[in-house]
Amino acid sequence: MPIPHPHKLSRRERQIMDIVYERGQATAVEVQAALPEPPGYSAVRAMLAILVGKKLLKIEEAGPRYLYHPTQPRQQAGRSAIQKVVQTFFAGSVENAVAALLEGDDARLTEAEVARLQELIKQNRPGGKTP
């Protein structure tokens, strides 16, 4: 199930998703308490309802309260968002997207990260896939 384009989430919606992913599940009160400069409870409930409508969160009734859970694992949601960014900003070119990331001033990789990337590149070369 693809998620909405990451740029269609407001700053608050992204903050809420981060909170719910970090906790695994959260109530509206917990989300409100974790937000910087939190809005009122009703506003938090409204934003949670929007995220449910966008199919990013699902609701579970737990006694008198509601628990909100992500609809997909963070890594899967991240992968889907990255694919949309590559399509939108790099015309589908993984090479250009990776180059943009590595050309930044803060792109310092450890030897282990370089080795992992080299292995991924090797596996994704034509004929390089391992069974």
Side-chain angles (χ1 to χ4, degrees):
M1 154 188 357
I3 65 167
H5 194 283
H7 294 92
K8 292 185 180 172
L9 293 181
S10 71
R11 176 181 57 89
R12 279 289 193 204
E13 289 171 340
R14 285 191 305 270
Q15 289 173 335
I16 290 170
M17 289 304 300
D18 285 343
I19 291 164
V20 176
Y21 270 122
E22 182 180 308
R23 295 170 178 259
Q25 65 183 23
T27 65
V29 169
E30 292 168 336
V31 168
Q32 182 185 27
L35 283 170
E37 299 177 27
Y41 177 75
S42 295
V44 171
R45 290 282 308 267
M47 286 183 273
L48 288 164
I50 289 168
L51 291 167
V52 169
K54 290 182 176 184
K55 300 189 183 334
L56 295 173
L57 294 177
K58 59 185 174 187
I59 304 173
E60 173 191 346
E61 196 169 339
R65 61 190 185 149
Y66 294 99
L67 289 174
Y68 295 86
H69 302 266
T71 57
Q72 55 183 270
R74 187 175 210 148
Q75 185 174 3
Q76 182 181 349
R79 184 171 291 128
S80 177
I82 288 293
Q83 288 170 341
K84 289 185 186 305
V85 168
V86 170
Q87 287 299 319
T88 302
F89 296 102
F90 300 98
S93 171
V94 173
E95 175 196 359
N96 288 341
V98 171
L101 289 170
L102 293 177
E103 290 169 350
D105 291 337
D106 57 344
R108 302 285 178 247
L109 299 174
T110 66
E111 288 299 319
E113 291 168 331
V114 169
R116 179 169 181 256
L117 290 172
Q118 286 174 330
E119 182 59 31
L120 288 170
I121 290 167
K122 180 180 173 184
Q123 289 175 7
N124 284 284
R125 284 186 177 155
K129 294 249 185 217
T130 54

